[in-house]
Amino acid sequence: MAGIAFGRFDDSFSFGSFKAYLAEFISTLLFVFAGVGSAIAFNKVTSDAPLDPSGLVAVAVCHGFALFVAVAVGANISGGHVNPAVTFGLALGGQITILTGLLYWVAQLLGSIVACFLLKVVTGGLAVPVHSLAAGVGAAEGVVMEIIITFALVYTVYATAADPKKGSLGVIAPIAIGFIVGANILAAGPFSGGSMNPARSFGPAVASGDFAGNWVYWVGPLVGGGLAGLVYSNVYMHHDHAPLSSVV
């Protein structure tokens, strides 16, 4: 089994750790601002018409590009998690301590909330869209969809960024991570919304005051991310090395 560790307070509250938390806050803010902003922009230019295929592609591409940048700019400081499900999967795989992971969560959630309130201000009070299940998709189906796509995301993080055997693949890790998110939004967007990220769903819920079904975007991503962390770390990674301090 992977070496899950609670962590030490002096490590988690060191100056270097606070720089990492700030990096996670900024990276998540940038990602959510662009991602949610693309959905707001689509609603504005189409007068709130239903999301059509071209709009779905545009939103998916924007999320993929934004995540690529958010991971890349945070990689050398915090590891560029930008997602509580990624942090959770890495914690279960022994790549980050539980205590530091919880503080990453705080930074990520605050970054998402601030991004959504900034969007409300700069767009003149336009509605912030929240993740929700499509008509005909039940909660169970939505959770399973989010488990599958988040598993794919966190598995990609491990394979391209967290595995010490990755070699030169580490150079393209942010690109691969952005690509899998964009692809998953194309596949799951019309059904579960394609969140894969509790912070990405929580910020809009706070800004809009609409928490209906928000639990789906916690349970699904955390289960999927946790499973990916356990599978990859225990099946493919050797444990004769020290845990990595960052993802990329």
Side-chain angles (χ1 to χ4, degrees):
M1 288 293 291
I4 302 173
F6 178 77
R8 294 176 9 209
F9 284 91
D10 56 340
D11 287 336
S12 296
F13 290 93
S14 67
F15 180 67
S17 294
F18 278 104
K19 289 197 296 184
Y21 306 146
L22 178 60
E24 283 296 304
F25 170 83
I26 293 173
S27 288
T28 308
L29 188 155
L30 296 176
F31 168 63
V32 174
F33 189 91
V36 177
S38 69
I40 294 175
F42 176 84
N43 290 339
K44 180 174 177 60
V45 300
T46 58
S47 300
D48 293 318
L51 189 65
D52 60 21
S54 63
L56 176 62
V57 171
V59 169
V61 169
C62 182
H63 278 78
F65 283 174
L67 186 60
F68 158 59
V69 173
V71 171
V73 299
N76 292 328
I77 307 170
S78 65
H81 296 196
V82 201
N83 184 340
V86 170
T87 301
F88 184 62
L90 291 167
L92 291 187
Q95 303 302 301
I96 186 173
T97 66
I98 298 296
L99 180 57
T100 297
L102 289 173
L103 294 171
Y104 268 44
W105 278 22
V106 172
Q108 292 157 356
L109 293 174
L110 287 175
S112 179
I113 292 169
V114 171
C116 291
F117 277 108
L118 285 174
L119 281 166
K120 290 190 72 171
V121 172
V122 299
T123 61
L126 291 180
V128 176
V130 299
H131 277 127
S132 60
L133 301 175
V137 177
E141 291 88 349
V143 168
V144 172
M145 178 69 83
E146 289 294 320
I147 289 174
I148 295 169
I149 60 177
T150 311
F151 181 95
L153 167 59
V154 177
Y155 192 90
T156 300
V157 169
Y158 264 94
T160 62
D163 192 332
K165 304 187 301 295
K166 64 184 180 297
S168 60
L169 283 177
V171 178
I172 66 166
I175 299 176
I177 293 167
F179 278 3
I180 191 61
V181 164
N184 281 343
I185 290 175
L186 288 174
F191 304 100
S192 70
S195 172
M196 298 164 275
N197 187 336
R200 167 62 181 82
S201 299
F202 187 72
V206 172
S208 66
D210 182 3
F211 290 91
N214 189 253
W215 66 270
V216 170
Y217 305 104
W218 281 92
V219 175
L222 291 180
V223 171
L227 286 174
L230 291 173
V231 169
Y232 197 98
S233 65
N234 287 293
V235 175
Y236 298 112
M237 291 176 66
H238 298 297
H239 297 289
D240 55 355
H241 57 81
L244 304 178
S245 60
S246 64
V247 179
V248 181

mmCIF file of all heavy atoms in Angstrom, residues 57-109:
data_model
loop_
_atom_site.group_PDB
_atom_site.id
_atom_site.type_symbol
_atom_site.label_atom_id
_atom_site.label_comp_id
_atom_site.label_asym_id
_atom_site.label_seq_id
_atom_site.Cartn_x
_atom_site.Cartn_y
_atom_site.Cartn_z
ATOM 1 N N VAL A 57 -17.885 22.824 -27.443
ATOM 2 C CA VAL A 57 -16.485 22.748 -27.859
ATOM 3 C C VAL A 57 -15.714 23.959 -27.343
ATOM 4 O O VAL A 57 -14.591 23.834 -26.823
ATOM 5 C CB VAL A 57 -16.367 22.646 -29.388
ATOM 6 C CG1 VAL A 57 -14.914 22.785 -29.826
ATOM 7 C CG2 VAL A 57 -16.941 21.331 -29.877
ATOM 8 N N ALA A 58 -16.310 25.142 -27.464
ATOM 9 C CA ALA A 58 -15.636 26.360 -27.018
ATOM 10 C C ALA A 58 -15.351 26.320 -25.520
ATOM 11 O O ALA A 58 -14.251 26.671 -25.068
ATOM 12 C CB ALA A 58 -16.479 27.585 -27.362
ATOM 13 N N VAL A 59 -16.330 25.895 -24.734
ATOM 14 C CA VAL A 59 -16.156 25.830 -23.283
ATOM 15 C C VAL A 59 -15.108 24.774 -22.922
ATOM 16 O O VAL A 59 -14.261 24.992 -22.045
ATOM 17 C CB VAL A 59 -17.503 25.523 -22.593
ATOM 18 C CG1 VAL A 59 -17.296 25.199 -21.127
ATOM 19 C CG2 VAL A 59 -18.451 26.710 -22.738
ATOM 20 N N ALA A 60 -15.139 23.630 -23.606
ATOM 21 C CA ALA A 60 -14.160 22.574 -23.336
ATOM 22 C C ALA A 60 -12.747 23.036 -23.668
ATOM 23 O O ALA A 60 -11.806 22.805 -22.899
ATOM 24 C CB ALA A 60 -14.504 21.317 -24.142
ATOM 25 N N VAL A 61 -12.593 23.697 -24.818
ATOM 26 C CA VAL A 61 -11.272 24.189 -25.219
ATOM 27 C C VAL A 61 -10.764 25.227 -24.226
ATOM 28 O O VAL A 61 -9.585 25.223 -23.835
ATOM 29 C CB VAL A 61 -11.322 24.770 -26.639
ATOM 30 C CG1 VAL A 61 -10.038 25.534 -26.958
ATOM 31 C CG2 VAL A 61 -11.532 23.654 -27.658
ATOM 32 N N CYS A 62 -11.640 26.120 -23.790
ATOM 33 C CA CYS A 62 -11.242 27.154 -22.828
ATOM 34 C C CYS A 62 -10.778 26.521 -21.516
ATOM 35 O O CYS A 62 -9.756 26.917 -20.958
ATOM 36 C CB CYS A 62 -12.403 28.108 -22.571
ATOM 37 S SG CYS A 62 -11.970 29.454 -21.437
ATOM 38 N N HIS A 63 -11.525 25.540 -21.026
ATOM 39 C CA HIS A 63 -11.124 24.864 -19.788
ATOM 40 C C HIS A 63 -9.786 24.154 -19.959
ATOM 41 O O HIS A 63 -8.926 24.189 -19.069
ATOM 42 C CB HIS A 63 -12.195 23.859 -19.347
ATOM 43 C CG HIS A 63 -13.328 24.460 -18.594
ATOM 44 N ND1 HIS A 63 -14.354 25.144 -19.211
ATOM 45 C CD2 HIS A 63 -13.616 24.501 -17.261
ATOM 46 C CE1 HIS A 63 -15.222 25.560 -18.300
ATOM 47 N NE2 HIS A 63 -14.788 25.184 -17.107
ATOM 48 N N GLY A 64 -9.603 23.498 -21.110
ATOM 49 C CA GLY A 64 -8.350 22.799 -21.354
ATOM 50 C C GLY A 64 -7.166 23.737 -21.403
ATOM 51 O O GLY A 64 -6.118 23.483 -20.781
ATOM 52 N N PHE A 65 -7.317 24.851 -22.131
ATOM 53 C CA PHE A 65 -6.242 25.844 -22.212
ATOM 54 C C PHE A 65 -5.961 26.457 -20.846
ATOM 55 O O PHE A 65 -4.803 26.623 -20.445
ATOM 56 C CB PHE A 65 -6.612 26.947 -23.201
ATOM 57 C CG PHE A 65 -6.463 26.558 -24.642
ATOM 58 C CD1 PHE A 65 -6.871 27.420 -25.650
ATOM 59 C CD2 PHE A 65 -5.928 25.336 -25.014
ATOM 60 C CE1 PHE A 65 -6.729 27.079 -26.993
ATOM 61 C CE2 PHE A 65 -5.780 24.976 -26.348
ATOM 62 C CZ PHE A 65 -6.183 25.850 -27.337
ATOM 63 N N ALA A 66 -7.034 26.824 -20.138
ATOM 64 C CA ALA A 66 -6.867 27.483 -18.837
ATOM 65 C C ALA A 66 -6.193 26.561 -17.830
ATOM 66 O O ALA A 66 -5.342 26.999 -17.047
ATOM 67 C CB ALA A 66 -8.226 27.951 -18.310
ATOM 68 N N LEU A 67 -6.557 25.272 -17.862
ATOM 69 C CA LEU A 67 -5.938 24.352 -16.916
ATOM 70 C C LEU A 67 -4.473 24.118 -17.266
ATOM 71 O O LEU A 67 -3.620 24.015 -16.382
ATOM 72 C CB LEU A 67 -6.684 23.019 -16.884
ATOM 73 C CG LEU A 67 -6.187 22.047 -15.816
ATOM 74 C CD1 LEU A 67 -6.329 22.650 -14.417
ATOM 75 C CD2 LEU A 67 -6.936 20.723 -15.892
ATOM 76 N N PHE A 68 -4.174 24.038 -18.557
ATOM 77 C CA PHE A 68 -2.780 23.901 -18.973
ATOM 78 C C PHE A 68 -1.937 25.026 -18.387
ATOM 79 O O PHE A 68 -0.869 24.791 -17.814
ATOM 80 C CB PHE A 68 -2.706 23.905 -20.507
ATOM 81 C CG PHE A 68 -1.357 24.280 -21.061
ATOM 82 C CD1 PHE A 68 -0.223 23.544 -20.752
ATOM 83 C CD2 PHE A 68 -1.223 25.388 -21.882
ATOM 84 C CE1 PHE A 68 1.028 23.896 -21.267
ATOM 85 C CE2 PHE A 68 0.012 25.745 -22.395
ATOM 86 C CZ PHE A 68 1.146 24.999 -22.081
ATOM 87 N N VAL A 69 -2.426 26.257 -18.495
ATOM 88 C CA VAL A 69 -1.687 27.405 -17.967
ATOM 89 C C VAL A 69 -1.638 27.361 -16.446
ATOM 90 O O VAL A 69 -0.582 27.589 -15.834
ATOM 91 C CB VAL A 69 -2.322 28.727 -18.452
ATOM 92 C CG1 VAL A 69 -1.661 29.921 -17.762
ATOM 93 C CG2 VAL A 69 -2.210 28.851 -19.964
ATOM 94 N N ALA A 70 -2.769 27.066 -15.804
ATOM 95 C CA ALA A 70 -2.821 27.056 -14.338
ATOM 96 C C ALA A 70 -1.870 26.014 -13.750
ATOM 97 O O ALA A 70 -1.203 26.274 -12.745
ATOM 98 C CB ALA A 70 -4.253 26.789 -13.867
ATOM 99 N N VAL A 71 -1.807 24.844 -14.360
ATOM 100 C CA VAL A 71 -0.885 23.808 -13.876
ATOM 101 C C VAL A 71 0.554 24.227 -14.125
ATOM 102 O O VAL A 71 1.424 24.080 -13.258
ATOM 103 C CB VAL A 71 -1.185 22.459 -14.567
ATOM 104 C CG1 VAL A 71 -0.091 21.433 -14.241
ATOM 105 C CG2 VAL A 71 -2.545 21.928 -14.137
ATOM 106 N N ALA A 72 0.809 24.774 -15.313
ATOM 107 C CA ALA A 72 2.180 25.145 -15.668
ATOM 108 C C ALA A 72 2.736 26.229 -14.747
ATOM 109 O O ALA A 72 3.882 26.156 -14.303
ATOM 110 C CB ALA A 72 2.237 25.600 -17.128
ATOM 111 N N VAL A 73 1.921 27.244 -14.430
ATOM 112 C CA VAL A 73 2.446 28.352 -13.626
ATOM 113 C C VAL A 73 2.613 27.968 -12.159
ATOM 114 O O VAL A 73 3.403 28.578 -11.438
ATOM 115 C CB VAL A 73 1.553 29.610 -13.746
ATOM 116 C CG1 VAL A 73 1.488 30.098 -15.171
ATOM 117 C CG2 VAL A 73 0.150 29.358 -13.191
ATOM 118 N N GLY A 74 1.884 26.944 -11.700
ATOM 119 C CA GLY A 74 2.015 26.525 -10.315
ATOM 120 C C GLY A 74 2.925 25.327 -10.121
ATOM 121 O O GLY A 74 3.240 24.968 -8.984
ATOM 122 N N ALA A 75 3.368 24.731 -11.225
ATOM 123 C CA ALA A 75 4.086 23.460 -11.140
ATOM 124 C C ALA A 75 5.327 23.517 -10.269
ATOM 125 O O ALA A 75 5.554 22.629 -9.435
ATOM 126 C CB ALA A 75 4.458 22.992 -12.552
ATOM 127 N N ASN A 76 6.132 24.532 -10.424
ATOM 128 C CA ASN A 76 7.405 24.594 -9.709
ATOM 129 C C ASN A 76 7.275 25.131 -8.286
ATOM 130 O O ASN A 76 8.276 25.200 -7.566
ATOM 131 C CB ASN A 76 8.403 25.460 -10.481
ATOM 132 C CG ASN A 76 8.812 24.817 -11.786
ATOM 133 O OD1 ASN A 76 8.869 23.595 -11.896
ATOM 134 N ND2 ASN A 76 9.085 25.632 -12.791
ATOM 135 N N ILE A 77 6.065 25.525 -7.885
ATOM 136 C CA ILE A 77 5.867 26.069 -6.538
ATOM 137 C C ILE A 77 5.039 25.115 -5.685
ATOM 138 O O ILE A 77 5.456 24.684 -4.614
ATOM 139 C CB ILE A 77 5.182 27.451 -6.596
ATOM 140 C CG1 ILE A 77 5.950 28.394 -7.534
ATOM 141 C CG2 ILE A 77 5.078 28.044 -5.191
ATOM 142 C CD1 ILE A 77 5.226 29.683 -7.824
ATOM 143 N N SER A 78 3.851 24.783 -6.168
ATOM 144 C CA SER A 78 2.948 23.930 -5.393
ATOM 145 C C SER A 78 2.719 22.573 -6.038
ATOM 146 O O SER A 78 2.130 21.685 -5.420
ATOM 147 C CB SER A 78 1.588 24.629 -5.234
ATOM 148 O OG SER A 78 0.959 24.770 -6.508
ATOM 149 N N GLY A 79 3.172 22.402 -7.265
ATOM 150 C CA GLY A 79 2.873 21.193 -8.012
ATOM 151 C C GLY A 79 1.730 21.382 -8.977
ATOM 152 O O GLY A 79 1.473 20.534 -9.818
ATOM 153 N N GLY A 80 0.999 22.518 -8.862
ATOM 154 C CA GLY A 80 -0.079 22.813 -9.799
ATOM 155 C C GLY A 80 -1.234 21.830 -9.728
ATOM 156 O O GLY A 80 -1.690 21.329 -10.752
ATOM 157 N N HIS A 81 -1.745 21.579 -8.534
ATOM 158 C CA HIS A 81 -2.883 20.668 -8.389
ATOM 159 C C HIS A 81 -4.162 21.277 -8.964
ATOM 160 O O HIS A 81 -4.864 20.652 -9.745
ATOM 161 C CB HIS A 81 -3.118 20.329 -6.924
ATOM 162 C CG HIS A 81 -1.995 19.581 -6.276
ATOM 163 N ND1 HIS A 81 -2.137 18.915 -5.071
ATOM 164 C CD2 HIS A 81 -0.703 19.391 -6.633
ATOM 165 C CE1 HIS A 81 -0.998 18.347 -4.728
ATOM 166 N NE2 HIS A 81 -0.103 18.647 -5.664
ATOM 167 N N VAL A 82 -4.542 22.465 -8.482
ATOM 168 C CA VAL A 82 -5.700 23.238 -8.973
ATOM 169 C C VAL A 82 -7.015 22.479 -8.801
ATOM 170 O O VAL A 82 -7.991 22.805 -9.463
ATOM 171 C CB VAL A 82 -5.518 23.639 -10.466
ATOM 172 C CG1 VAL A 82 -6.409 24.821 -10.831
ATOM 173 C CG2 VAL A 82 -4.065 23.996 -10.767
ATOM 174 N N ASN A 83 -7.045 21.477 -7.930
ATOM 175 C CA ASN A 83 -8.215 20.614 -7.876
ATOM 176 C C ASN A 83 -8.152 19.767 -6.606
ATOM 177 O O ASN A 83 -7.206 18.990 -6.424
ATOM 178 C CB ASN A 83 -8.222 19.715 -9.121
ATOM 179 C CG ASN A 83 -9.439 18.826 -9.225
ATOM 180 O OD1 ASN A 83 -10.129 18.560 -8.247
ATOM 181 N ND2 ASN A 83 -9.702 18.340 -10.423
ATOM 182 N N PRO A 84 -9.147 19.868 -5.719
ATOM 183 C CA PRO A 84 -9.145 19.040 -4.514
ATOM 184 C C PRO A 84 -9.117 17.540 -4.806
ATOM 185 O O PRO A 84 -8.564 16.764 -4.018
ATOM 186 C CB PRO A 84 -10.447 19.432 -3.813
ATOM 187 C CG PRO A 84 -10.705 20.835 -4.270
ATOM 188 C CD PRO A 84 -10.249 20.855 -5.705
ATOM 189 N N ALA A 85 -9.707 17.108 -5.924
ATOM 190 C CA ALA A 85 -9.692 15.686 -6.264
ATOM 191 C C ALA A 85 -8.290 15.221 -6.629
ATOM 192 O O ALA A 85 -7.891 14.096 -6.304
ATOM 193 C CB ALA A 85 -10.659 15.404 -7.411
ATOM 194 N N VAL A 86 -7.523 16.076 -7.300
ATOM 195 C CA VAL A 86 -6.128 15.751 -7.616
ATOM 196 C C VAL A 86 -5.320 15.675 -6.325
ATOM 197 O O VAL A 86 -4.539 14.736 -6.111
ATOM 198 C CB VAL A 86 -5.525 16.795 -8.577
ATOM 199 C CG1 VAL A 86 -4.009 16.608 -8.705
ATOM 200 C CG2 VAL A 86 -6.184 16.704 -9.949
ATOM 201 N N THR A 87 -5.496 16.645 -5.453
ATOM 202 C CA THR A 87 -4.796 16.645 -4.169
ATOM 203 C C THR A 87 -5.138 15.403 -3.359
ATOM 204 O O THR A 87 -4.261 14.762 -2.759
ATOM 205 C CB THR A 87 -5.152 17.907 -3.368
ATOM 206 O OG1 THR A 87 -4.778 19.071 -4.122
ATOM 207 C CG2 THR A 87 -4.433 17.931 -2.035
ATOM 208 N N PHE A 88 -6.411 15.022 -3.351
ATOM 209 C CA PHE A 88 -6.849 13.839 -2.607
ATOM 210 C C PHE A 88 -6.214 12.579 -3.173
ATOM 211 O O PHE A 88 -5.727 11.714 -2.432
ATOM 212 C CB PHE A 88 -8.372 13.740 -2.661
ATOM 213 C CG PHE A 88 -8.953 12.607 -1.852
ATOM 214 C CD1 PHE A 88 -8.784 12.549 -0.480
ATOM 215 C CD2 PHE A 88 -9.680 11.598 -2.471
ATOM 216 C CE1 PHE A 88 -9.325 11.519 0.262
ATOM 217 C CE2 PHE A 88 -10.229 10.566 -1.737
ATOM 218 C CZ PHE A 88 -10.048 10.514 -0.366
ATOM 219 N N GLY A 89 -6.212 12.451 -4.497
ATOM 220 C CA GLY A 89 -5.605 11.290 -5.124
ATOM 221 C C GLY A 89 -4.119 11.202 -4.853
ATOM 222 O O GLY A 89 -3.577 10.111 -4.625
ATOM 223 N N LEU A 90 -3.439 12.336 -4.842
ATOM 224 C CA LEU A 90 -2.009 12.353 -4.549
ATOM 225 C C LEU A 90 -1.737 12.042 -3.077
ATOM 226 O O LEU A 90 -0.733 11.414 -2.739
ATOM 227 C CB LEU A 90 -1.413 13.705 -4.930
ATOM 228 C CG LEU A 90 -1.355 13.967 -6.440
ATOM 229 C CD1 LEU A 90 -1.057 15.432 -6.719
ATOM 230 C CD2 LEU A 90 -0.307 13.084 -7.095
ATOM 231 N N ALA A 91 -2.632 12.475 -2.191
ATOM 232 C CA ALA A 91 -2.480 12.162 -0.766
ATOM 233 C C ALA A 91 -2.632 10.669 -0.516
ATOM 234 O O ALA A 91 -1.863 10.066 0.246
ATOM 235 C CB ALA A 91 -3.493 12.949 0.061
ATOM 236 N N LEU A 92 -3.611 10.035 -1.166
ATOM 237 C CA LEU A 92 -3.797 8.594 -0.994
ATOM 238 C C LEU A 92 -2.637 7.809 -1.594
ATOM 239 O O LEU A 92 -2.371 6.678 -1.174
ATOM 240 C CB LEU A 92 -5.119 8.149 -1.630
ATOM 241 C CG LEU A 92 -6.402 8.626 -0.949
ATOM 242 C CD1 LEU A 92 -7.620 7.971 -1.590
ATOM 243 C CD2 LEU A 92 -6.382 8.335 0.549
ATOM 244 N N GLY A 93 -1.968 8.408 -2.573
ATOM 245 C CA GLY A 93 -0.802 7.765 -3.163
ATOM 246 C C GLY A 93 0.493 8.100 -2.458
ATOM 247 O O GLY A 93 1.569 7.697 -2.907
ATOM 248 N N GLY A 94 0.425 8.838 -1.364
ATOM 249 C CA GLY A 94 1.604 9.158 -0.583
ATOM 250 C C GLY A 94 2.472 10.251 -1.162
ATOM 251 O O GLY A 94 3.626 10.408 -0.774
ATOM 252 N N GLN A 95 1.914 11.068 -2.084
ATOM 253 C CA GLN A 95 2.701 12.111 -2.724
ATOM 254 C C GLN A 95 2.610 13.457 -2.019
ATOM 255 O O GLN A 95 3.364 14.373 -2.328
ATOM 256 C CB GLN A 95 2.254 12.272 -4.192
ATOM 257 C CG GLN A 95 2.346 10.999 -5.001
ATOM 258 C CD GLN A 95 3.746 10.424 -5.027
ATOM 259 O OE1 GLN A 95 4.687 11.080 -5.470
ATOM 260 N NE2 GLN A 95 3.904 9.206 -4.542
ATOM 261 N N ILE A 96 1.669 13.593 -1.102
ATOM 262 C CA ILE A 96 1.507 14.813 -0.312
ATOM 263 C C ILE A 96 0.869 14.401 1.004
ATOM 264 O O ILE A 96 0.103 13.425 1.044
ATOM 265 C CB ILE A 96 0.631 15.858 -1.063
ATOM 266 C CG1 ILE A 96 0.583 17.188 -0.300
ATOM 267 C CG2 ILE A 96 -0.772 15.332 -1.297
ATOM 268 C CD1 ILE A 96 -0.121 18.302 -1.083
ATOM 269 N N THR A 97 1.198 15.072 2.088
ATOM 270 C CA THR A 97 0.633 14.696 3.383
ATOM 271 C C THR A 97 -0.822 15.139 3.490
ATOM 272 O O THR A 97 -1.269 16.058 2.785
ATOM 273 C CB THR A 97 1.434 15.304 4.543
ATOM 274 O OG1 THR A 97 1.290 16.733 4.521
ATOM 275 C CG2 THR A 97 2.905 14.942 4.447
ATOM 276 N N ILE A 98 -1.560 14.483 4.354
ATOM 277 C CA ILE A 98 -2.969 14.807 4.560
ATOM 278 C C ILE A 98 -3.128 16.253 5.035
ATOM 279 O O ILE A 98 -3.989 16.995 4.544
ATOM 280 C CB ILE A 98 -3.603 13.844 5.581
ATOM 281 C CG1 ILE A 98 -3.557 12.401 5.071
ATOM 282 C CG2 ILE A 98 -5.034 14.272 5.894
ATOM 283 C CD1 ILE A 98 -4.364 12.163 3.823
ATOM 284 N N LEU A 99 -2.314 16.672 5.983
ATOM 285 C CA LEU A 99 -2.429 18.020 6.533
ATOM 286 C C LEU A 99 -2.175 19.079 5.465
ATOM 287 O O LEU A 99 -2.963 20.029 5.319
ATOM 288 C CB LEU A 99 -1.456 18.195 7.693
ATOM 289 C CG LEU A 99 -1.451 19.567 8.386
ATOM 290 C CD1 LEU A 99 -2.840 19.905 8.909
ATOM 291 C CD2 LEU A 99 -0.430 19.586 9.527
ATOM 292 N N THR A 100 -1.103 18.923 4.718
ATOM 293 C CA THR A 100 -0.824 19.880 3.652
ATOM 294 C C THR A 100 -1.917 19.827 2.593
ATOM 295 O O THR A 100 -2.333 20.861 2.053
ATOM 296 C CB THR A 100 0.543 19.587 3.013
ATOM 297 O OG1 THR A 100 1.567 19.746 3.996
ATOM 298 C CG2 THR A 100 0.823 20.529 1.854
ATOM 299 N N GLY A 101 -2.424 18.628 2.309
ATOM 300 C CA GLY A 101 -3.504 18.488 1.339
ATOM 301 C C GLY A 101 -4.758 19.246 1.746
ATOM 302 O O GLY A 101 -5.415 19.883 0.916
ATOM 303 N N LEU A 102 -5.095 19.195 3.025
ATOM 304 C CA LEU A 102 -6.271 19.929 3.513
ATOM 305 C C LEU A 102 -6.091 21.441 3.329
ATOM 306 O O LEU A 102 -7.034 22.158 2.960
ATOM 307 C CB LEU A 102 -6.525 19.608 4.979
ATOM 308 C CG LEU A 102 -7.050 18.195 5.273
ATOM 309 C CD1 LEU A 102 -7.097 17.944 6.783
ATOM 310 C CD2 LEU A 102 -8.435 17.991 4.658
ATOM 311 N N LEU A 103 -4.890 21.919 3.567
ATOM 312 C CA LEU A 103 -4.623 23.348 3.374
ATOM 313 C C LEU A 103 -4.607 23.710 1.891
ATOM 314 O O LEU A 103 -4.995 24.827 1.515
ATOM 315 C CB LEU A 103 -3.305 23.720 4.049
ATOM 316 C CG LEU A 103 -3.336 23.598 5.581
ATOM 317 C CD1 LEU A 103 -1.944 23.760 6.174
ATOM 318 C CD2 LEU A 103 -4.294 24.616 6.186
ATOM 319 N N TYR A 104 -4.204 22.781 1.031
ATOM 320 C CA TYR A 104 -4.357 22.979 -0.412
ATOM 321 C C TYR A 104 -5.839 23.151 -0.760
ATOM 322 O O TYR A 104 -6.209 23.996 -1.576
ATOM 323 C CB TYR A 104 -3.792 21.783 -1.179
ATOM 324 C CG TYR A 104 -2.346 21.899 -1.596
ATOM 325 C CD1 TYR A 104 -1.364 22.389 -0.731
ATOM 326 C CD2 TYR A 104 -1.940 21.503 -2.862
ATOM 327 C CE1 TYR A 104 -0.046 22.478 -1.106
ATOM 328 C CE2 TYR A 104 -0.618 21.584 -3.260
ATOM 329 C CZ TYR A 104 0.326 22.069 -2.377
ATOM 330 O OH TYR A 104 1.639 22.164 -2.768
ATOM 331 N N TRP A 105 -6.683 22.318 -0.154
ATOM 332 C CA TRP A 105 -8.122 22.425 -0.396
ATOM 333 C C TRP A 105 -8.647 23.814 -0.055
ATOM 334 O O TRP A 105 -9.414 24.396 -0.826
ATOM 335 C CB TRP A 105 -8.872 21.395 0.453
ATOM 336 C CG TRP A 105 -8.923 20.016 -0.119
ATOM 337 C CD1 TRP A 105 -8.082 19.458 -1.033
ATOM 338 C CD2 TRP A 105 -9.884 19.009 0.216
ATOM 339 N NE1 TRP A 105 -8.444 18.161 -1.284
ATOM 340 C CE2 TRP A 105 -9.550 17.863 -0.534
ATOM 341 C CE3 TRP A 105 -10.970 18.958 1.071
ATOM 342 C CZ2 TRP A 105 -10.286 16.673 -0.450
ATOM 343 C CZ3 TRP A 105 -11.699 17.785 1.154
ATOM 344 C CH2 TRP A 105 -11.369 16.651 0.399
ATOM 345 N N VAL A 106 -8.239 24.322 1.090
ATOM 346 C CA VAL A 106 -8.691 25.655 1.500
ATOM 347 C C VAL A 106 -8.286 26.692 0.458
ATOM 348 O O VAL A 106 -9.096 27.532 0.043
ATOM 349 C CB VAL A 106 -8.107 26.020 2.879
ATOM 350 C CG1 VAL A 106 -8.416 27.479 3.229
ATOM 351 C CG2 VAL A 106 -8.651 25.095 3.962
ATOM 352 N N ALA A 107 -7.035 26.635 0.012
ATOM 353 C CA ALA A 107 -6.556 27.594 -0.978
ATOM 354 C C ALA A 107 -7.307 27.457 -2.299
ATOM 355 O O ALA A 107 -7.682 28.462 -2.927
ATOM 356 C CB ALA A 107 -5.055 27.390 -1.202
ATOM 357 N N GLN A 108 -7.559 26.232 -2.731
ATOM 358 C CA GLN A 108 -8.260 25.994 -3.993
ATOM 359 C C GLN A 108 -9.705 26.481 -3.931
ATOM 360 O O GLN A 108 -10.199 27.129 -4.867
ATOM 361 C CB GLN A 108 -8.205 24.501 -4.331
ATOM 362 C CG GLN A 108 -6.815 24.000 -4.667
ATOM 363 C CD GLN A 108 -6.654 22.503 -4.447
ATOM 364 O OE1 GLN A 108 -7.565 21.821 -3.961
ATOM 365 N NE2 GLN A 108 -5.490 21.974 -4.790
ATOM 366 N N LEU A 109 -10.380 26.190 -2.836
ATOM 367 C CA LEU A 109 -11.777 26.620 -2.706
ATOM 368 C C LEU A 109 -11.879 28.140 -2.635
ATOM 369 O O LEU A 109 -12.768 28.745 -3.255
ATOM 370 C CB LEU A 109 -12.403 25.986 -1.467
ATOM 371 C CG LEU A 109 -12.579 24.463 -1.515
ATOM 372 C CD1 LEU A 109 -13.068 23.941 -0.171
ATOM 373 C CD2 LEU A 109 -13.543 24.067 -2.619
#
